[in-house]
Amino acid sequence: MDVMKSFSLEGRVALVTGAAYGIGFAIAEALAGAGAKIVFNCRSQENLDKALADYKAKGIDARGYIADVTKEDEVAELVAKIKKELGGVDILVNNAGIIKRIPMTEMSAEEFRQVVDIDLIGPFICAKAVIPGMIEKGHGKIINICSMMSELGRETVSAYAAAKGGLKMLTRNICSEYGGANIQCNGIGPGYIATPQTAPLRERQSDGSRHPFDQFIVAKTPAGRWGTPEDLMGPAVFLASDASDFVNGHVLYVDGGILAYIGKQP
């Protein structure tokens, strides 16, 4: 067996939701580097145009479409277009997501539903849309972007933790239901990742000291640093490739060891 060849994604079509920037963009870049054809979605033309330019700058011939992952009809239309133009989805990465940091007693039911709609119901809708085509092809890979909050709770993230905990169980259930069709559904659980969205939490204070949250995360991480989007590239390629054909229903936590570590005594 050629082990390195088993990591190749040549000829595969990968749909990465919400891959206009950040973690999704890095994962799409990694899959493209392994040979996959990249398709992604955005909810606005402005974000789509910017993302297409960013992919082009990286030398990636990605295709982007307007689609909302919470709308079944829009997702069905997107998947139909991909099948017509590229031959169907081989790899689905459910990356699109949001977080609202609001104390639970101050959070409205509508705000809670919005997070669950995008972070949990969206992956359900997208997986439901691509699974029939994967069954037809005789293979498929689904990667759900979970979170450490699939395992832990924390202040102000009740909706996010509920959705990501549910996404972990959806991952296991897709494995249970469709593993016999040669579909592998696994998750990636990122730790705290240094992105533009988390930049304010890493800014130096006026006295030159680290932001209190930055200090907290580094102290809680055995690796002693924040993760980077690049840290997720290898795991994504592994879970999207034939190298992971007997890995199913698993969440791979890419967190620098946080979940394994109780922390130092004060």
Side-chain angles (χ1 to χ4, degrees):
M1 176 182 178
D2 186 339
V3 174
M4 296 310 296
K5 189 176 179 180
S6 71
F7 287 89
S8 172
L9 301 179
E10 288 292 336
R12 305 288 173 87
V13 176
L15 169 59
V16 187
T17 68
Y21 56 85
I23 288 173
F25 187 93
I27 288 175
E29 182 182 354
L31 300 185
K37 299 175 183 176
I38 301 301
V39 182
F40 68 98
N41 74 295
C42 287
R43 291 192 293 178
S44 75
Q45 190 66 47
E46 181 182 359
N47 287 341
L48 182 66
D49 291 342
K50 183 180 184 307
L52 286 171
D54 290 341
Y55 279 108
K56 186 176 181 180
K58 290 279 188 177
I60 299 170
D61 183 22
R63 298 194 184 205
Y65 300 91
I66 300 293
D68 184 336
V69 298
T70 69
K71 308 293 186 185
E72 282 194 88
D73 57 341
E74 293 186 21
V75 172
E77 184 179 350
L78 169 63
V79 171
K81 284 180 181 177
I82 296 170
K83 183 174 183 179
K84 181 179 179 180
E85 296 175 10
L86 297 172
V89 176
D90 299 292
I91 302 157
L92 167 66
V93 182
N94 279 314
N95 167 76
I98 63 168
I99 186 169
K100 289 181 179 289
R101 294 182 176 89
I102 305 170
M104 182 174 166
T105 56
E106 298 174 17
M107 187 175 217
S108 69
E110 182 56 36
E111 289 169 325
F112 191 96
R113 285 191 193 100
Q114 185 182 7
V115 175
V116 172
D117 273 352
I118 296 174
D119 293 8
L120 179 57
I121 297 178
F124 162 77
I125 289 171
C126 292
K128 177 185 172 184
V130 302
I131 285 172
M134 289 178 172
I135 293 173
E136 187 179 326
K137 284 183 171 228
H139 66 86
K141 301 282 185 175
I142 299 173
I143 303 172
N144 292 325
I145 304 303
C146 297
S147 167
M148 292 190 306
M149 298 301 115
S150 297
E151 302 290 344
L152 300 172
R154 197 170 178 277
E155 308 83 19
T156 76
V157 293
S158 59
Y160 185 78
K164 293 298 186 178
L167 187 56
K168 175 183 74 173
M169 293 311 300
L170 179 62
T171 300
R172 292 178 177 177
N173 207 78
I174 292 172
C175 156
S176 301
E177 247 184 292
Y178 298 104
N182 194 29
I183 295 172
Q184 292 82 50
C185 181
N186 294 289
I188 293 177
Y192 284 91
I193 306 297
T195 65
Q197 288 71 35
T198 60
L201 300 174
R202 290 176 281 109
E203 287 180 352
R204 289 283 175 174
Q205 304 300 283
S206 56
D207 62 359
S209 64
R210 302 177 91 154
H211 189 290
F213 192 78
D214 185 14
Q215 294 179 44
F216 168 70
I217 292 304
V218 171
K220 284 290 292 179
T221 306
R225 65 174 177 86
W226 287 63
T228 67
E230 290 73 22
D231 287 319
L232 302 168
M233 288 179 159
V237 170
F238 168 63
L239 291 178
S241 72
D242 293 345
S244 61
D245 277 354
F246 205 56
V247 179
N248 211 350
H250 175 72
V251 178
L252 174 55
Y253 289 100
V254 186
D255 65 356
I258 288 181
L259 287 175
Y261 185 45
I262 195 171
K264 293 181 181 180
Q265 182 177 340

